[in-house]
Amino acid sequence: METNQNAFSPPIRIVASRRRRRTVAARLRSGVLELLVPDWMSHAEREKWAEEMRGRIERRMVRTRPSDEKLTERARTLNERHFGGRLRWTSIAFADMSHMWGSCSFTTGAIRIAWRAASLPAWVVDYLVVHELAHLEHSDHGPAFHELENRYPLTERARGYLMAIDQGVATVD
Ligand SMILES: [Zn+2]
């Protein structure tokens, strides 16, 4: 499900506030675009602002874009640290994925990390990389897979962190 890498389509959470009078604000928090609007604002206008703010943040992200080189470096370090350097992949890069945090092709060895994950804390991104690295040896999520991903000491914490985000997104209208 690889699409245009330049497209940025994070989940959007619209927060309407009675205290907010005219201004609209947006922030990217844990990979979710939060749009703060006055509660009188119409649905159509909220949508328009969501697109406007998404575009602004996208332009800012393109300027300060996380590099695939850094991601490759992280993967190398994590491979050395937790897998004795034995894992081999063909490519690792950020890609536009709005419903997944990462993917790994068992057959081609290509790893993709969701572009929106770049706004997460480094230790969570490291977990995502470790998870996809572990898929190089096991395509399923069985016990052998978990033994591998649990070599990363913050795996449980990172899973909880991501689960909280995914649940938050799921309750958005
Ligand atoms: Zn997986």
Side-chain angles (χ1 to χ4, degrees):
M1 60 165 293
E2 201 176 333
T3 51
N4 179 8
Q5 284 201 18
N6 290 314
F8 169 61
S9 47
I12 293 172
R13 173 187 295 146
I14 294 178
V15 182
S17 158
R18 199 157 294 183
R19 279 173 308 168
R20 191 167 276 279
R21 303 221 177 264
R22 276 188 302 272
T23 54
V24 174
R27 63 187 172 202
L28 194 61
R29 212 164 65 169
S30 302
V32 176
L33 173 62
E34 280 189 351
L35 188 71
L36 311 168
V37 301
D39 71 346
W40 51 260
M41 187 176 273
S42 72
H43 188 72
E45 234 179 321
R46 290 177 192 195
E47 294 290 308
K48 204 190 77 196
W49 273 106
E51 175 51 28
E52 163 70 21
M53 292 308 202
R54 189 204 60 75
R56 282 189 205 177
I57 290 174
E58 178 177 66
R59 288 190 287 281
R60 194 177 69 207
M61 282 178 80
V62 166
R63 284 199 302 274
T64 61
R65 185 165 192 165
S67 72
D68 293 341
E69 288 72 30
K70 276 197 195 127
L71 197 59
T72 304
E73 233 174 78
R74 288 312 297 159
R76 279 203 198 109
T77 303
L78 293 163
N79 186 25
E80 289 299 327
R81 193 175 295 163
H82 303 297
F83 306 107
R86 72 164 189 263
L87 300 177
R88 294 282 173 273
W89 57 92
T90 52
S91 70
I92 178 163
F94 284 106
D96 184 47
M97 295 188 278
S98 46
H99 300 292
M100 292 190 299
W101 290 109
S103 71
C104 174
S105 164
F106 192 65
T107 43
T108 68
I111 291 174
R112 295 290 175 265
I113 301 294
W115 199 14
R116 67 195 170 99
S119 66
L120 301 177
W123 62 272
V124 180
V125 179
D126 279 359
Y127 160 71
L128 291 171
V129 171
V130 165
H131 182 99
E132 300 311 332
L133 285 176
H135 274 314
L136 291 166
E137 294 203 340
H138 301 282
S139 59
D140 61 5
H141 290 134
F145 172 85
H146 285 301
E147 189 275 315
L148 279 187
E149 81 164 355
N150 284 330
R151 293 183 184 190
Y152 178 61
L154 298 174
T155 285
E156 276 312 309
R157 268 182 71 190
R159 287 169 65 89
Y161 190 99
L162 293 170
M163 221 175 278
I165 295 174
D166 288 338
Q167 277 167 8
V169 170
T171 59
V172 174
D173 57 14

